[in-house]
């Protein structure tokens, strides 16, 4: 028994001595396989890859976690017929306030306070922003207006990166409906 424990202590000491190369020195690795792994380290080079870089682009059609791709970027009619307004008919004070606030931040400069196409920058634009209280836009289904905010139309750019919350986009649509109603009165 005594012999065994002496052996164990001696082996442990030897092991520690062998591994520890001293202060500020790389330790001696007895089991080399632990160091030489097949996985590549970030920012390291990779002899197997085409340009020897370990940094790779995500495969085509990858979708970032928590993001859903917008299916209708080039398909306004698809958007119009498939996208349903989750706030349809919700003309509550809270939703209209949300819509008005965001309309006044993002749309009013061009389309005007009452949607008449006469915002402060409109007259300086070569292609005047259209009014949103026309029969044409009244005839757009909610999904079409949501689509124009999301993907833009012609010279009007997309507002998806500014208005990231989709609820806000739908609230703007509802608010535009109130402007259209007012203009017809
Ligand atoms: C920088 C000016 C500008 C801003 C800001 C802007 N738009 Fe536009 N919008 C335009 C122009 C210009 C067009 C016409 C584009 C075209 O068809 O070539 C347009 C077109 C539209 C149309 C289609 C109208 C039609 O008759 O076809 C809708 C709907 C619309 N905008 C809604 C919005 C909403 C909602 C916002 C705010 C989120 C907004 N726009 C912000 C300039 C702007």
């Amino acid at each position: 028994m005594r012999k065994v424990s002496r052996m164990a202590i001696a082996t442990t000491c030897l092991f520690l001595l062998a591994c520890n190369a001293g202060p500020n020195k790389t330790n001696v690795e007895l089991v080399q396989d632990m160091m030489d792994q097949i996985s590549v380290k970030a920012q390291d080079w990779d002899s197997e890859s085409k340009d020897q870089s370990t940094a790779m682009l995500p495969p085509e059609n990858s979708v970032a976690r928590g993001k859903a791709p917008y299916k209708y970027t080039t398909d306004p009619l698809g958007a119009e017929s498939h996208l349903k307004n989750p706030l349809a008919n919700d003309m509550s004070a809270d939703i209209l306030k949300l819509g008005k606030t965001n309309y006044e931040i993002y749309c009013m400069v061009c389309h005007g306070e009452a949607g008449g196409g006469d915002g402060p920058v409109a007259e300086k634009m070569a292609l005047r922003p259209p009014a949103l209280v026309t029969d044409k836009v009244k005839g757009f289904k909610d999904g079409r207006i949501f689509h124009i905010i999301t993907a833009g139309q012609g010279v009007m750019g997309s507002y998806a990166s500014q208005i990231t919350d989709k609820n806000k986009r739908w609230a703007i649509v509802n608010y535009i409906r109130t402007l259209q109603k007012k203009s017809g009165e």
Side-chain angles (χ1 to χ4, degrees):
M1 187 65 201
R2 246 161 131 205
K3 223 175 179 181
V4 173
S5 60
R6 262 196 216 146
M7 279 269 286
I9 293 167
T11 318
T12 315
C13 289
L14 199 72
F15 187 75
L16 289 175
L17 275 174
C19 293
N20 189 349
N24 301 326
K25 295 252 169 65
T26 309
N27 287 347
V28 177
E29 290 289 331
L30 293 179
V31 187
Q32 285 289 325
D33 283 353
M34 299 284 278
M35 282 182 86
D36 303 331
Q37 299 193 11
I38 53 166
S39 56
V40 283
K41 292 195 176 102
Q43 313 300 334
D44 206 349
W45 67 284
D46 176 13
S47 57
E48 307 273 309
S49 97
K50 231 189 326 168
D51 56 1
Q52 303 210 323
S53 162
T54 55
M56 283 191 276
L57 288 172
E60 218 177 304
N61 300 324
S62 300
V63 177
R65 218 181 247 224
K67 304 263 183 221
Y70 181 65
K71 278 198 282 190
Y72 305 105
T73 310
T74 54
D75 181 15
L77 297 179
E80 179 156 28
S81 49
H82 291 110
L83 295 179
K84 296 276 164 282
N85 183 350
L87 306 175
N89 305 320
D90 184 347
M91 295 295 173
S92 61
D94 280 353
I95 292 299
L96 293 183
K97 188 165 174 253
L98 184 68
K100 181 177 196 295
T101 306
N102 284 282
Y103 178 86
E104 290 180 353
I105 294 171
Y106 299 108
C107 322
M108 193 182 80
V109 282
C110 287
H111 291 287
E113 195 175 350
D118 53 355
V121 305
E123 65 185 44
K124 303 204 167 62
M125 290 175 66
L127 186 95
R128 290 288 184 91
L132 301 179
V133 292
T134 54
D135 286 342
K136 180 184 173 196
V137 183
K138 280 182 192 165
F140 282 170
K141 287 196 184 134
D142 288 357
R144 182 70 175 270
I145 302 178
F146 178 92
H147 170 82
I148 295 171
I149 302 173
T150 307
Q153 173 183 292
V155 297
M156 177 186 147
S158 153
Y159 280 81
S161 62
Q162 287 94 332
I163 314 169
T164 50
D165 180 353
K166 294 195 180 75
N167 228 34
K168 284 186 185 167
R169 294 182 215 161
W170 289 115
I172 293 175
V173 174
N174 286 12
Y175 180 66
I176 291 173
R177 296 299 185 207
T178 67
L179 296 179
Q180 292 173 339
K181 229 170 146 198
K182 265 190 217 153
S183 83
E185 278 166 8

